Structure formats: C-alpha cells, structure tokens
Amino acid sequence: MLIYTFPILFIATLGCIYLHLGKKHGDHNVEGYIFRYDQRVPTSKLKQPVMVKGPLGIVSWMELSFLTMFVVLLAWSTTTYLNGMFTHIDQMASRSGLLVWEAKLEMSGLTLGLVGNICLAFLFFPVTRGSSVLRLIGLSSEASIKYHIWVGHIAMTIFTAHGLCYLVFWAKTEQLSQVLKWGKIEVSNMAGEIGLVCGLGMWATSLPQIRRKMFELFYYTHHLYILFIVFFVFHVGFSYACIMLPGFYLFLIDRYLRFLQSQQRVSLVAARILPCQTVELNFCKSPEVNHSPRSIIFVNVPAISKLQWHPFTITSNSNMDTDKLSMVVKSEGRWSSDLYQKLSSPLPMDGFQVSIEGPYGPPASTHLLRHDILVLLSGGSGITPFISIIRELLFKASSGSSTRIPHILLICAFKKSIDLAMLELILPVSGTTVDISCLQLQIEAYVTREKGADEDNHKPLQTVWFKPNAIDAPVSAILGPNSWLCLGLIISSSFVMFLLLIAILSRYHNSNMVYASSATAGFYMLFMCLAIAMTANATFLWNKKQNRKRLRQIRNMDTPPVWFNNGDRELESLQYQSLLQATNVHYGERPDLKKILFERKESSVGVIASGPREMRQEVAAICSSGLADNLQFESISFTW
C-alpha cells in the first residue's frame, strides 16, 4: 500500500504547498502552471486539433500522444502478464486436469482483470475538482472530463471481457457454481459480479445517445460508482486494490469537502431577468474567493430539486467584482425553466435558498495575452464564458499597466433577436468606473431565424431583490484563504491516521485468518473514510471558527452592495452607447467561419469556440486544416 499510495499522496501534498506559496506571493504563473510558457518552445502546435469528428471528439496532438502512450502501456502490460502465465501453461493444465486452451482462457481472464486495475488507477484523477495534481500540470477537472470518459470506456471494455472469460471457462469446465462463490480468503467471485453489474449500469447510461436525452438517468445511475468500488475491493481484496487507491483517496477527500461546502446556504442578493428567458444570479462572496475567467460553479436550488446539481459559467470577474459572484442561466431544460419561472413570478419572494460547490476552473494564466487578436466564437448560451474573458481583459486595459491587450473579435450567433439582450451582460456592473471603450472590442452578432429587428423584443432588464436570511452566508472557500495549505494538511494527516488505524488492527489481529479477506477490506475502507472525515471536519470547523466574525459582519449588511445600487441599467448610459457602437448585427444569415478566420492576417490569432458541439467541430476543422498557421485553437465544451 505504501509503494502504490505514498508517492502520489506525497506529490499531491507538495503540490498544495507549492500552489499555496505561489498564491501567497501573487505569482499567477506559479499558481497555474509548473511548466512555464516559453516562446522558444512550440507547444502551441502540440495543442492544435488533429482529430475533430469521431468518437473521441476534438483531440489535440498532445492528447493523442498521451492516449497512445496509455494504450501502449496497457498492451505492454497484457503481453508481459500473458508471457509469464503461458510459460508453464502445459504443466499447470495437467496438474489442474484442464485442457491447454481452457487453462489459457482462465489465465487470459486473470490478465484482463489485472490490466483493468491499471485503468482504475487513472480513472479518478480527472474528476477530482480541487486536485493539486491536475493544477500542477495546468489542467482543470472540467477540461479533463473527457479523459475520465476515455479511461472509463477502456476499463469497462476490459472488465466486461474479464467477466465473460470466466463465465465461458466455468461453463466449459462445469463449474458454474463458482458464480455464487464468496471466498473467505481467496477472490470473491460474487462480489466481482455485483461490481461488474453496477459498472455496466453506469457504462450503459453514460453513452452519448442516452446521456444527452436522459441526463438525470445518467446522473443518478453514475452514483453506482460507490457500490462498484466497494465490491471491487471485496472481490480482489484490499492489497490488490491498492493500485487504484491514490486516485480514489484524493477523490474521496475532494468529494467530502464538496459535501461540507454544499451544506451551507449562500446569500443570493439579486437576480436580473432578461427578456430572452435568461436570468443572471448575483451572490455575495468573500474577498478571498478568486476565480479565473471561464471558471464554473455547481448550483443546487432545493425549491426545484434537492438532489440535482448543475454547473454554470461564472460571468463576474474577481478583480473587478471583489465582493460579487454572478452566473447566467438560460431556460433550455426543465430545471432551468423552473428556475426562470420562479424568479420572474410577480409574487413576492422573501428569500431564495441556494447551495454552491466551487468555484472550479482553469488555472490563472496569461496565455490570452500572447496573441495579437482573440477571435471568440459562440453559439447561443455559449457566450457566457466569454463575458468573464472580456471583463478580465477590460480590467487589465483600464488598470494602466504596460501589458499589451489583444484586439477582441466576438462572433456570436443567436436564433432570435430577443437573445441579443445577453450582450448587455458584457458591460461592467453599475457602480464601476471602468469604461468599455478602452478595450479594442468588435462584436459581430448573427440572428439566424429572423430577417430584421423586432422592436417589441427590446425590453429593459428587471431586477429582483431578496431579503437577507440569517442562515445565509457569502460564497466562501471551503477551507478559507489558505485552502491549498489546508488541503495538503488534510491529505497528509488523514493518511497518517489511516496507517495508525491499520496498525492498531494489525497489532491485535496479526493473521488474515482472523477475519475473512472481505471483512478485512471492509475494515480498511471504513478506516479510510473515518480518517478523511475526521481530519476534514476538524479543518473545516477550525476555518469556520476563524472566519465567523467576518462572515457575521457581511451577513448583517442592511444595505445592498454598491455594485447593485443601480440595478437596472440606463439604456442611455455611455457604456451602453459604446457597446452599441462596437456591435454589428446581421439578420437572417449564419457566420462564414472559414472566411472570418482565414482573413486574419495577424501573426498570432487565438481562436476560442464555445457552444454547440457541431460549431466547435467546424471551427476545429478549419484551424487544423493547415491553410493558416497563425491560428491557435481552443475549445470550451463545459458550458451550460
């Protein structure tokens, strides 16, 4: 267990200390990437898409390289295991009274199980949202979700083949009774079958055809991962499960911290109702909560559903809005439609309970400033991540620094002209002195289903205010301003406590014969959960006690924040007029993306696409065609 687990947990702890020091000294490059950007290293070519359409989605050269290495690792492991097992297969078959092909089938099934364990070792890293390991290499959980999907498909394919090999072997050798075997010392077959059934349920509902049409079924079924892991450990024993323990251990810590944060009710100050069936939610937040552009938060509204959590892009900027966090929700499904109806209802609302997890997002970096021009391509609600990007660049342009700000070309497509109201969210909030005219911004808006402007659709934004609730708190970091340091403390101290609990058990029960292997595995899993829960709770309560006074002052605020003293924007304001001058609306047509991108003559053009998958694939195909070497593509798929 120490050989497999200690190195990864040690790296994760050192990563937390490294990120804490970077945050303390205000070095965003240190906080975001351990590998600094160097103009002399052509990393941009490795990040260009090489595959656009297909089962893997949009894949860059770098991702394809690592995927190839992972497949080679699995193939090498399979070959090595089989060569070792087949060396004396004849003697083993004669001793067991089996035919040679039957013995080979059994060993092949065992090999597939061992190789499947390697897949599980990588499965949980991409879904650990607050991972220091991902942050060290410049990745975020929402950007690496596709790696979890890839590894999950490979793992379930291997485990399914593993189970089928043993079923065929037992059927041919007349040992079908092995299906119901729950060994006290050896491998428990029945536990493995239960775990495989749970895995197949998750696998089937995660297929794109089912996930996109019945997301709630996918979401709830995916919680079977708990039973899958528990029965996997019962099946192979804790010792053989240690190869997947590091990733799962970090995931458990992250998942429990998210649970603690989700129990807090946050303070929803106001909601701005847009005429295009869209609402902007505005929360108070603690000043130490910093987030980079394109960050997301997970939101739960108990009045709609106590179980459903939905991710949304943060549209506010932590530099411009130190005490505010906002997000935009467009009515495109049952949950979002119910939310819009409740907030736009004429009936008075004293309060609105909301729970939040996050924020999570890409590491802070300056890669957007490397380009001469940024071309932002969005479809529908895909414009939301670009709001935070534009506000970040607006802050840098107005701060008077010597940093060169690139030109911005925003290409946005909407179905109806009423959706043009979402462009108003780009404007800085009321009460700020930042003028959007200091930014070199050009907006080309396309209304695809209407031939002209509809004057009846232009309605002013409405603001709904909520009375403060005594139990509500501002959005705050679950572990306070020193969250990375506290996370490293939880990882290290919980693992030490876990080892002590195992030592106590081993001291009084030296032999595995005292308890069955499944019972021992159960004790170990219980000890692991106890160690994580105790250390995480202690750190959380200590941080809550330290911040109680400050939170009480914010909670007892009687007046609205300054950023909403004038909640309804004046349509005649200078900022609004500047936005209108920068916007060119095209009716009844779609943007010619190929023409727009190929006509860019700048030496470095950053292309970021957000919105429907088909649009992102089209943009990726254009950038990867090789006809324009100055295009550097990036896709944003994790937007709602």
Side-chain angles (χ1 to χ4, degrees):
M1 184 177 65
L2 285 175
I3 290 174
Y4 282 123
T5 308
F6 176 76
I8 300 298
L9 297 187
F10 183 68
I11 292 173
T13 303
L14 288 182
C16 291
I17 299 174
Y18 180 81
L19 295 171
H20 171 76
L21 294 176
K23 183 178 180 180
K24 183 178 180 180
H25 294 289
D27 188 346
H28 294 291
N29 289 329
V30 171
E31 182 182 355
Y33 293 93
I34 193 171
F35 302 109
R36 306 292 186 85
Y37 172 76
D38 191 342
Q39 293 281 359
R40 296 168 296 177
V41 181
T43 56
S44 59
K45 297 297 181 182
L46 296 177
K47 296 181 180 180
Q48 288 294 88
V50 60
M51 298 174 58
V52 177
K53 295 182 180 181
L56 299 181
I58 302 175
V59 182
S60 67
W61 283 106
M62 184 176 293
E63 292 170 339
L64 184 62
S65 301
F66 279 98
L67 179 61
T68 303
M69 286 190 286
F70 181 70
V71 173
V72 170
L73 170 65
L74 298 183
W76 174 80
S77 301
T78 304
T79 304
T80 303
Y81 284 133
L82 288 178
N83 286 338
M85 293 178 181
F86 285 1
T87 301
H88 305 288
I89 193 68
D90 295 337
Q91 296 87 333
M92 187 189 71
S94 61
R95 287 196 304 267
S96 304
L98 301 174
L99 299 177
V100 175
W101 74 268
E102 292 174 342
K104 287 185 176 181
L105 179 62
E106 182 183 17
M107 292 299 100
S108 298
L110 176 59
T111 296
L112 289 172
L114 295 174
V115 174
N117 291 356
I118 299 176
C119 294
L120 286 186
F122 295 89
L123 186 62
F124 290 95
F125 284 105
V127 290
T128 306
R129 296 174 187 167
S131 171
S132 60
V133 177
L134 291 180
R135 183 60 66 91
L136 282 175
I137 57 178
L139 286 176
S140 56
S141 60
E142 65 274 9
S144 55
I145 284 293
K146 59 181 176 182
Y147 310 142
H148 172 77
I149 297 174
W150 295 351
V151 177
H153 284 309
I154 296 174
M156 286 312 305
T157 301
I158 294 175
F159 282 135
T160 302
H162 163 73
L164 290 176
C165 284
Y166 273 100
L167 286 177
V168 174
F169 170 74
W170 291 333
K172 290 296 183 180
T173 57
E174 299 180 353
Q175 301 182 66
L176 282 178
S177 59
Q178 291 288 329
V179 173
L180 302 178
K181 177 185 176 182
W182 191 297
K184 292 184 177 181
I185 304 301
E186 300 176 354
V187 172
S188 300
N189 297 333
M190 191 173 180
E193 293 151 9
I194 296 174
L196 181 59
V197 170
C198 294
L200 290 175
M202 291 188 292
W203 193 24
T205 56
S206 66
L207 297 176
Q209 297 82 355
I210 298 178
R211 186 184 72 246
R212 291 173 185 154
K213 294 182 179 179
M214 296 178 286
F215 182 81
E216 292 184 7
L217 176 63
F218 155 76
Y219 177 77
Y220 294 128
T221 306
H222 229 64
H223 285 83
L224 289 173
Y225 78 88
I226 301 174
L227 296 179
F228 174 80
I229 292 297
V230 169
F231 283 100
F232 167 78
V233 176
F234 284 156
H235 174 56
V236 301
F238 198 84
S239 298
Y240 285 101
C242 282
I243 189 173
M244 52 77 64
L245 184 61
F248 187 67
Y249 194 93
L250 295 176
F251 170 78
L252 275 183
I253 293 176
D254 179 75
R255 187 65 189 90
Y256 189 72
L257 291 175
R258 285 158 45 196
F259 168 77
L260 292 177
Q261 186 182 26
S262 66
Q263 301 307 302
Q264 300 180 2
R265 302 299 183 189
V266 299
S267 177
L268 178 60
V269 178
R272 292 203 298 174
I273 311 299
L274 280 68
C276 55
Q277 298 288 307
T278 302
V279 60
E280 181 191 56
L281 303 182
N282 296 273
F283 304 91
C284 275
K285 78 173 183 69
S286 300
E288 75 268 8
V289 177
N290 293 317
H291 51 83
S292 58
R294 296 163 37 198
S295 294
I296 63 168
I297 53 174
F298 285 77
V299 178
N300 171 261
V301 181
I304 300 177
S305 173
K306 295 183 179 180
L307 299 178
Q308 293 186 40
W309 288 83
H310 294 266
F312 295 96
T313 305
I314 298 175
T315 55
S316 57
N317 180 265
S318 58
N319 292 319
M320 299 174 62
D321 310 310
T322 57
D323 59 346
K324 169 196 173 184
L325 187 146
S326 62
M327 68 179 197
V328 175
V329 182
K330 186 172 177 58
S331 299
E332 294 182 347
R334 182 186 304 174
W335 187 91
S336 57
S337 297
D338 290 344
L339 176 64
Y340 182 82
Q341 292 298 327
K342 286 182 177 296
L343 294 176
S344 60
S345 173
L347 298 177
M349 300 180 65
D350 292 338
F352 201 77
Q353 289 189 346
V354 180
S355 298
I356 282 181
E357 288 183 8
Y360 309 103
S365 67
T366 58
H367 74 283
L368 297 177
L369 304 178
R370 301 200 305 257
H371 306 292
D372 298 321
I373 183 172
L374 280 178
V375 181
L376 310 178
L377 303 168
S378 70
S381 57
I383 194 176
T384 51
F386 296 149
I387 296 174
S388 59
I389 291 177
I390 293 175
R391 288 188 179 181
E392 174 70 13
L393 296 178
L394 177 60
F395 171 78
K396 293 183 180 298
S398 61
S399 60
S401 62
S402 59
T403 305
R404 183 182 60 85
I405 306 300
H407 294 245
I408 302 174
L409 175 59
L410 173 60
I411 309 295
C412 48
F414 301 104
K415 294 180 180 179
K416 299 180 180 180
S417 59
I418 195 173
D419 295 327
L420 293 172
M422 296 188 69
L423 293 175
E424 296 185 32
L425 299 176
I426 297 176
L427 296 174
V429 296
S430 300
T432 60
T433 59
V434 179
D435 187 2
I436 195 173
S437 61
C438 67
L439 195 65
Q440 301 180 71
L441 172 65
Q442 178 185 353
I443 302 175
E444 299 291 335
Y446 291 81
V447 180
T448 59
R449 296 187 181 181
E450 292 182 4
K451 298 296 183 180
D454 189 351
E455 297 297 334
D456 295 335
N457 288 336
H458 194 80
K459 301 177 182 178
L461 279 66
Q462 300 179 2
T463 303
V464 180
W465 292 90
F466 300 99
K467 295 181 180 179
N469 195 315
I471 64 173
D472 291 345
V475 179
S476 57
I478 185 63
L479 297 177
N482 299 320
S483 55
W484 284 119
L485 194 61
C486 291
L487 178 60
L489 179 64
I490 293 174
I491 294 173
S492 56
S493 59
S494 63
F495 188 63
V496 171
M497 183 178 294
F498 177 42
L499 295 179
L500 289 176
L501 291 174
I502 291 178
I504 294 173
L505 181 67
S506 302
R507 171 66 179 81
Y508 292 101
H509 302 284
N510 293 321
S511 173
N512 283 333
M513 299 299 293
V514 176
Y515 294 115
S517 60
S518 58
T520 303
F523 275 117
Y524 283 10
M525 288 187 287
L526 177 63
F527 291 162
M528 182 171 61
C529 294
L530 285 176
I532 292 174
M534 292 174 65
T535 53
N537 277 325
T539 308
F540 170 73
L541 293 176
W542 178 84
N543 175 70
K544 188 175 181 180
K545 182 179 180 181
Q546 294 293 320
N547 297 327
R548 186 172 298 170
K549 183 178 180 180
R550 175 178 52 83
L551 295 178
R552 189 183 298 115
Q553 293 174 352
I554 300 177
R555 189 183 301 121
N556 293 335
M557 245 183 349
D558 295 327
T559 59
V562 66
W563 41 267
F564 251 111
N565 285 340
N566 297 310
D568 298 323
R569 189 183 307 277
E570 294 288 342
L571 297 182
E572 296 80 10
S573 66
L574 179 61
Q575 291 186 5
Y576 185 77
Q577 294 302 321
S578 299
L579 181 67
L580 288 180
Q581 293 175 4
T583 304
N584 186 21
V585 183
H586 308 264
Y587 291 96
E589 59 179 304
R590 298 178 181 275
D592 188 347
L593 300 179
K594 185 176 296 186
K595 179 182 178 181
I596 293 172
L597 294 178
F598 284 165
E599 70 181 6
R600 309 313 312 178
K601 303 302 181 183
E602 293 83 0
S603 59
S604 177
V605 180
V607 182
I608 307 179
S610 172
R613 180 183 55 174
E614 294 77 11
M615 187 206 71
R616 289 184 284 109
Q617 290 178 340
E618 180 183 356
V619 178
I622 296 173
C623 295
S624 61
S625 62
L627 299 178
D629 295 333
N630 60 338
L631 301 180
Q632 299 181 19
F633 173 76
E634 183 177 355
S635 173
I636 304 177
S637 59
F638 208 74
T639 55
W640 275 261

